[in-house]
Each structure stands twice: as structure tokens, then as C-alpha cells.
């Protein structure tokens, strides 16, 4: 979901000594343990752009956090599974889905994208936003998530590249970021690359409006 502040998966200034912990479940359990929301709750615009062209079916949102994208998809008629490695994040997402009146259209799955296994489950749309495993790990994650895409379905991966807005604070931080074409080695056979590009997104922070570029990979499973 769209960030409510500068912090999100994979950016916002962790120091080198904290980098390993920053990407692990305990840090996110702590982050989601308190009160209030960390993100805006709005659907990510790259998801809206793609899903609005598709016939609603089944969807999987990996790294769903508090559930903004899950709820939006359910409101559009999708049957949605939200996945995250934080139990506290999933609990928040479930409460938000209940409050939004879409609980019957969603379920949740506790799993780590870095060790994701589809185990035979397939979806018409698999999506993940701003998931940034360390050391270029997103390339391998693309291959893992692709296993969950049904024939004829789509995979959408959106992330941050290094920029003036998302400037890495350490070398490890920089290695967690990517441009869309960095992910192409992770695309398995049987997939058509629909898009691998940087796409602009308008954001407003502290009253200032500006554009940033999302790294967007869209795949279509053909076999």
C-alpha cells in the first residue's frame, strides 16, 4: 500500500549495523505491534493501473502489510489472499478488511517471500510492492512468486530504484534496491515480459508534490 511517510519496505535510512535486522520478521512485528497506521491505506497506483485492465479472479498480494491493496482488490471483485511474514501485520490487515466489509472475499497467509513456496496454489494475479530483500534477493523472489501464477495470469512486481527521493544510506541498502530490468534474470520460461520499466508516480509529502519513478515488472504467464 502507498506509504503514509517516508518509511517503507527497502528504504528509509537504516544504518549499516541495523541492515540485517531491518529485513527480518522481528523488526516488522515490532513495527506493527503499536497503534496507528504506518501506510496510507490507499491502493498502490501501479496495481490499480494493471488490475483495472483485468477481469477479477483470484489474487495474491505478497508483503501485504496492513492490507490496503488486499482490500482494494476485494472491493473490485477479486478473491484475495494477503501474504506477509509479520503476524501482527496480517492481524491488522484482517481487522481492516473486516472494517471495510470485505472479510468474506479475503484470507491471509503467513509466509516469507524469500522462501516462498506456492505448494500448488495458483492465482490469476500475483502482486508485490516495495519488497526489498537484501543483496539483490528480489531476482530470486521473482522466480518463486512466478510459480503461483496461473496460466493466463499476471505477476506484478513494483519496487524502488536508487534516486534522490530514495537515496540509499549504505551499500547494503543500495543492493536491496533495483530497476525493473535488474529482475529479468529471474523470469522463468513460460512467461512473456509485458513491461520492465521505470514508471512515474506522483506523491505528496509534507505539502510538497513531486514525481518518483517506480521500478515496474509485469509478466504474463503463457504456458
Amino acid at each position: 500500500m502507498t506509504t503514509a511517510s517516508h518509511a517503507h519496505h527497502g528504504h528509509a535510512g537504516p544504518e549499516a549495523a541495523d541492515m540485517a535486522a531491518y529485513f527480518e520478521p522481528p523488526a516488522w512485528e515490532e513495527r506493527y505491534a503499536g497503534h496507528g497506521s504506518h501506510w496510507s491505506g490507499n491502493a498502490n497506483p501501479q496495481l490499480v493501473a494493471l488490475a483495472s485492465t483485468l477481469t477479477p479472479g483470484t489474487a495474491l498480494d505478497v508483503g501485504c502489510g496492513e492490507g490496503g491493496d488486499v482490500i482494494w482488490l476485494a472491493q473490485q471483485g477479486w478473491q484475495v489472499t494477503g501474504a506477509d511474514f509479520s503476524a501482527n501485520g496480517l492481524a491488522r490487515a484482517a481487522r481492516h478488511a473486516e472494517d471495510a466489509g470485505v472479510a468474506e472475499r479475503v484470507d491471509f497467509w503467513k509466509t516469507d517471500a524469500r522462501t516462498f513456496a506456492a505448494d500448488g496454489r495458483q492465482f490469476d494475479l500475483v502482486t508485490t510492492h516495495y519488497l526489498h530483500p537484501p543483496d539483490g534477493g528480489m531476482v530470486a523472489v521473482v522466480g518463486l512468486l512466478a510459480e503461483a501464477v496461473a496460466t493466463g495470469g499476471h505477476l506484478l512486481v513494483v519496487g524502488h530504484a536508487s534516486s534522490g527521493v530514495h537515496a540509499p544510506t549504505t551499500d547494503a541498502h543500495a543492493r536491496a534496491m533495483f530497476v525493473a530490468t535488474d529482475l529479468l534474470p529471474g523470469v522463468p520460461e513460460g512467461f512473456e515480459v509485458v513491461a520492465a520499466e521505470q514508471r512515474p508516480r506522483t506523491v505528496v509529502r509534507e505539502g510538497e508534490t513531486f514525481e518518483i519513478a517506480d521500478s515496474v515488472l509485469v509478466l504474463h504467464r503463457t504456458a
Side-chain angles (χ1 to χ4, degrees):
M1 64 214 69
T2 305
T3 57
S5 67
H6 290 261
H8 207 316
H9 296 281
H11 71 85
E15 299 298 330
D18 300 327
M19 180 56 65
Y22 184 77
F23 291 102
E24 298 303 323
W28 289 93
E29 295 291 15
E30 180 179 357
R31 191 169 283 112
Y32 287 133
H35 299 287
S37 294
H38 290 272
W39 320 128
S40 71
N42 298 326
N44 282 295
Q46 310 299 352
L47 173 64
V48 173
L50 175 62
S52 296
T53 70
L54 304 176
T55 300
T58 57
L60 171 67
D61 179 24
V62 179
C64 70
E66 296 172 321
D69 286 345
V70 171
I71 291 167
W72 181 84
L73 284 165
Q75 289 171 334
Q76 310 312 305
W78 295 78
Q79 192 69 37
V80 193
T81 297
D84 204 284
F85 64 11
S86 168
N88 287 336
L90 292 174
R92 284 186 177 220
R95 290 195 300 271
H96 293 164
E98 184 73 33
D99 292 344
V102 295
E104 74 284 355
R105 301 198 66 84
V106 305
D107 63 353
F108 295 97
W109 182 2
K110 187 174 184 293
T111 186
D112 189 326
R114 298 168 297 182
T115 56
F116 177 83
D119 293 330
R121 300 177 70 176
Q122 292 195 316
F123 303 83
D124 300 309
L125 173 63
V126 178
T127 177
T128 185
H129 281 71
Y130 311 115
L131 186 69
H132 287 270
D135 297 320
M138 199 61 198
V139 175
V141 169
V142 167
L144 297 177
L145 298 186
E147 295 178 7
V149 181
T151 301
H154 291 79
L155 173 62
L156 170 66
V157 178
V158 181
H160 297 304
S162 176
S163 69
V165 178
H166 300 300
T169 56
T170 67
D171 288 343
H173 192 189
R175 290 195 299 273
M177 301 174 117
F178 55 84
V179 296
T181 53
D182 290 341
L183 303 180
L184 293 178
V187 178
E189 292 185 5
F191 282 82
E192 170 196 7
V193 178
V194 177
E197 61 192 19
Q198 305 306 112
R199 292 182 179 174
R201 172 166 57 96
T202 301
V203 298
V204 179
R205 290 181 182 159
E206 300 175 354
E208 182 182 357
T209 300
F210 52 93
E211 280 195 349
I212 60 177
D214 283 334
S215 304
V216 178
L217 177 70
V218 181
L219 305 179
H220 176 227
R221 186 164 196 167
T222 57

